[in-house]
Structure formats: C-alpha cells, structure tokens
Amino acid sequence: MHNNNRRQLILNAAQESALLRKLATETLCDQLLVFAEKISGVIGVGGKLLICGNGGSAADSSHFAAEMIVRLTALRNRQALPAIALSADTAVLTAAGNDYGFEQIFARQVQGLGQIGDILFCLSTSGNSPNLLKAVESAREKNLITMALLGGDGGRLGRMVDFKLIIPHHSVQRIQEEQIFLIHLLVELVESDLVGE
C-alpha cells in the first residue's frame, strides 16, 4: 500500500471514530447515567461487579475491574471498589472449559461467586457469544442484575439483559474503542457517586 493510501486510511479511521464518539455519547448519555447509578447503588449496599467478555472484550473486562479495584486517576485516591474479571483466572477458565465446555466458563464462575443483588456485566461486540448467554442465564437463576455493553444490534444478549448500552456501529474495532471510552466514563461516574468529587 502506497504511503498516501496509508495516510488516508489513518485519516478515515480517525474521522469515523470521531463521528461515532459524538453519536454514541449523544444517544447513550442517559443510559450511561442509569448504568452508573445502578452500579453505585449495588456497591453502596455491599454488592459487587462480575465482568466478562471474550478476546479483546476479555482484556477490557480486566481493564474495567482493575480501574474499579485500584482507581481511574491519581487525582482521586479512594477505597477499592469490588469488581472481578471472570476472564482473568486461567486455571478456572481451563478447568471449566475442560470439564464443562467453553460455553460454561463464565456461567460456572457466576454460580460460585454471584450473590443476590450483584451485577453481571458482559462486554461483547456481537452479543451472540454462547458463553456470555449462558452466564446471563446463570445470573438470572441467582437473581443477579444483568448488564451488557454491546455493538451492532445488540444480538441475543441485548434481548436477555436487564440493562444494555449498544454502540450503534458494525465495525469491531470502532465498537471496542467506544466501549473502553464508556467504561472510563462509568468508572468516573461511579467514583463520583460513591466518593464525591
């Protein structure tokens, strides 16, 4: 690919991302506030966040949990907030996958770690991953609140969860970029709710 074409590819991606950022923040702002309020309320009464996703969304699950437990910014030093990335424990993932099948790797953890009133938070670009669908089924059986950060049309997951945020786009990379932006905003809003300015 010639350098002029490569330069145009970069500029096109940046423009597409900027347009999606504007669209996503304008259309999802109120829903994001509801998410933050619900998460803050659950943590405020002793509940926790169980977070899961596959591939890049697994990494984003760990990122989300780390910022909840540690902090988002050095400008706000606060207590740890309870969050667990269900994609992070390789021993549990491989044992559950080996003994029960890949579709059960998150459901099994929800069964062992989830308590009434906790939140299961799923990250997915398609909303159709069988292991996330099974996790939501297990969460419902245990009376957990279910949330999902999704893309496209939300897929099957979007029709199953109690609360959903759907990035209105078809490109996996653009969806994931906006998901991490929304995660950062969520953490900031939850911190503000629970610890103050």
Side-chain angles (χ1 to χ4, degrees), residues 28 32 35 39 49-68 83-88 102 105-106 110 119-136 145-152 154-158 161 163-167 172 174-187:
L28 300 176
L32 190 68
F35 263 54
I39 292 169
L49 207 51
L50 302 176
I51 312 166
C52 56
N54 293 293
S57 296
D60 289 342
S61 298
S62 291
H63 186 153
F64 190 4
E67 287 173 342
M68 292 289 285
I84 301 168
L86 302 183
S87 54
F102 190 71
I105 61 170
F106 300 132
V110 169
I119 293 173
L120 173 68
F121 194 110
C122 300
L123 288 163
S124 177
T125 55
S126 72
N128 293 316
S129 300
N131 56 12
L132 297 177
L133 300 173
K134 294 287 186 188
V136 170
I145 297 161
T146 56
M147 294 182 159
L149 184 47
L150 306 163
R156 291 173 60 197
L157 207 55
V161 295
F163 301 92
K164 60 184 173 280
L165 283 168
I166 301 176
I167 308 295
V172 170
R174 297 292 92 82
I175 292 166
Q176 289 179 333
E177 289 161 5
E178 293 315 302
Q179 286 180 333
I180 202 65
F181 172 69
L182 292 176
I183 286 167
H184 285 158
L185 286 175
L186 261 181
V187 176

Side-chain angles (χ1 to χ4, degrees), residues 15-33 149-152 164-171 173-183 185 189:
Q15 182 180 32
E16 183 180 42
S17 185
L19 290 171
L20 181 57
R21 173 70 45 90
K22 185 174 189 302
L23 175 65
T25 49
E26 287 174 354
T27 58
L28 300 176
C29 185
D30 290 339
Q31 291 169 267
L32 190 68
L33 291 170
L149 184 47
L150 306 163
K164 60 184 173 280
L165 283 168
I166 301 176
I167 308 295
H169 209 272
H170 59 278
S171 165
Q173 61 266 39
R174 297 292 92 82
I175 292 166
Q176 289 179 333
E177 289 161 5
E178 293 315 302
Q179 286 180 333
I180 202 65
F181 172 69
L182 292 176
I183 286 167
L185 286 175
L189 290 166

